[in-house]
Amino acid sequence: MAKKTTKQTWSENPKQNSILAALPKADLERILPDLELVLLPLKWTMLESGDHVDFLYFPISGIVSLIYALEDGSSSEVALVGNEGMVGISIFMGGDSMPSSTEVQSTGKAYKLSRKIMKREFSLGGKLQEYALLYTQALICQTSQTAVCNQHHLLDQQLCRWLLMSMDRLHSEDIAVTQEMISNLLGVRRESVTQAIGQLQKDGLITATRGHIKVLDRPAMEVRVCECYEVVKKEYLRLLPPVPDEMPPAP
């Protein structure tokens, strides 16, 4: 269960989420009393597939993975969400639940907003509605491209895509992740992940230690990755407001 924090500090600002930061002042001030800051503990399953969605989450740090699981227990990640987006889009898309589960991949924080307040805001037809729909379009692009990537591209390229997308959301070259986590998220054997990580390390793109990967040569990784990374990145840049890379002023 996520814990509510008791005090907002400079490191806990709604404007660290790009969607909240882009809202007109009046729109943000209207929902500000209803935004609740919560922690996102590592591996916390925020929602299981089929759960009724009661809250919309706006991450300000960390990463949340959207994961599809099969009856045989296997699973794979279909999308990453960081401070560029939101979790719980079924609230305003007309459904009560999501077909995927959501799990915290990298520890962080988020502001949550109740279903009731989000539906009220959506009915007003303002900027929050506009950005929510644009974000949903970008998310569909990511999930679709991930499916194509997993089917047609080499594991080496998939791993580069995953690392680059994680870096973009963490705003850091350092990623706390185990090989087992990567194998589960990509839906491949751990031995294959070990081999792919070893090759990237041998080629000088990363250093890998137990539970930790640091990207040393991002330009080289961007050359090595498949086109899927750039396709998704361009769509996010085209549709969404820019992601804050510095601490914004308090709302």
Side-chain angles (χ1 to χ4, degrees):
M1 211 49 199
K3 295 180 179 179
K4 180 180 178 181
T5 59
T6 57
K7 182 180 180 180
Q8 180 171 314
T9 68
W10 281 110
S11 63
E12 300 163 350
N13 189 330
K15 288 190 175 184
Q16 285 180 278
N17 178 276
S18 63
I19 293 175
L20 295 179
L23 292 178
K25 182 179 180 181
D27 291 16
L28 180 59
E29 288 181 345
R30 189 169 55 248
I31 66 171
L32 203 56
D34 299 296
L35 289 172
E36 180 184 346
L37 182 66
V38 297
L39 300 180
L40 303 177
L42 183 64
K43 295 187 178 181
W44 175 41
T45 301
M46 302 168 68
L47 289 167
E48 294 279 7
S49 174
D51 282 354
H52 187 272
V53 181
D54 294 315
F55 295 96
L56 192 69
Y57 293 85
F58 298 87
I60 60 172
S61 58
I63 297 176
V64 177
S65 295
L66 275 59
I67 299 173
Y68 273 79
L70 301 178
E71 289 182 356
D72 64 4
S74 60
S75 63
S76 62
E77 178 186 72
V78 296
L80 294 172
V81 182
N83 71 328
E84 84 291 347
M86 58 180 72
V87 176
I89 63 172
S90 64
I91 284 179
F92 55 82
M93 293 299 291
D96 290 329
S97 63
M98 294 285 288
S100 61
S101 61
T102 53
E103 181 177 300
V104 178
Q105 172 195 304
S106 180
T107 304
K109 297 177 183 178
Y111 282 90
K112 72 176 185 179
L113 190 68
S114 72
R115 167 185 285 268
K116 177 182 177 181
I117 300 300
M118 183 57 184
K119 281 185 170 292
R120 181 198 71 190
E121 290 298 310
F122 212 77
S123 68
L124 296 177
K127 282 295 182 180
L128 184 53
Q129 181 199 61
E130 177 184 342
Y131 292 145
L133 292 175
L134 288 173
Y135 175 72
T136 300
Q137 182 176 337
L139 191 64
I140 291 172
C141 172
Q142 185 186 165
T143 57
S144 302
Q145 201 69 38
T146 298
V148 172
C149 187
N150 291 346
Q151 180 69 28
H152 295 285
H153 292 144
L154 299 174
L155 176 58
D156 179 273
Q157 295 174 308
Q158 295 178 43
L159 179 58
C160 287
R161 170 183 58 81
W162 186 87
L163 289 171
L164 287 167
M165 293 182 70
S166 295
M167 289 169 59
D168 289 345
R169 285 154 180 79
L170 293 173
H171 310 286
S172 172
E173 295 79 21
D174 296 300
I175 304 170
V177 65
T178 64
Q179 293 185 15
E180 182 178 2
M181 286 176 64
I182 294 175
S183 68
N184 290 335
L185 293 170
L186 296 182
V188 297
R189 295 169 59 247
R190 180 174 176 178
E191 293 78 6
S192 299
V193 171
T194 300
Q195 184 177 0
I197 288 176
Q199 189 61 52
L200 290 180
Q201 187 164 227
K202 180 180 178 181
D203 294 342
L205 274 67
I206 66 172
T207 57
T209 55
R210 186 176 180 85
H212 185 85
I213 293 177
K214 181 174 183 178
V215 176
L216 302 176
D217 193 341
R218 177 172 182 137
M221 185 170 287
E222 290 179 342
V223 171
R224 192 159 178 159
V225 74
C226 55
E227 70 267 26
C228 297
Y229 169 69
E230 193 64 25
V231 167
V232 174
K233 183 177 180 179
K234 285 182 177 179
E235 191 71 353
Y236 271 67
L237 290 173
R238 182 180 75 88
L239 293 170
L240 301 175
V243 176
D245 55 7
E246 295 180 359
M247 176 59 65

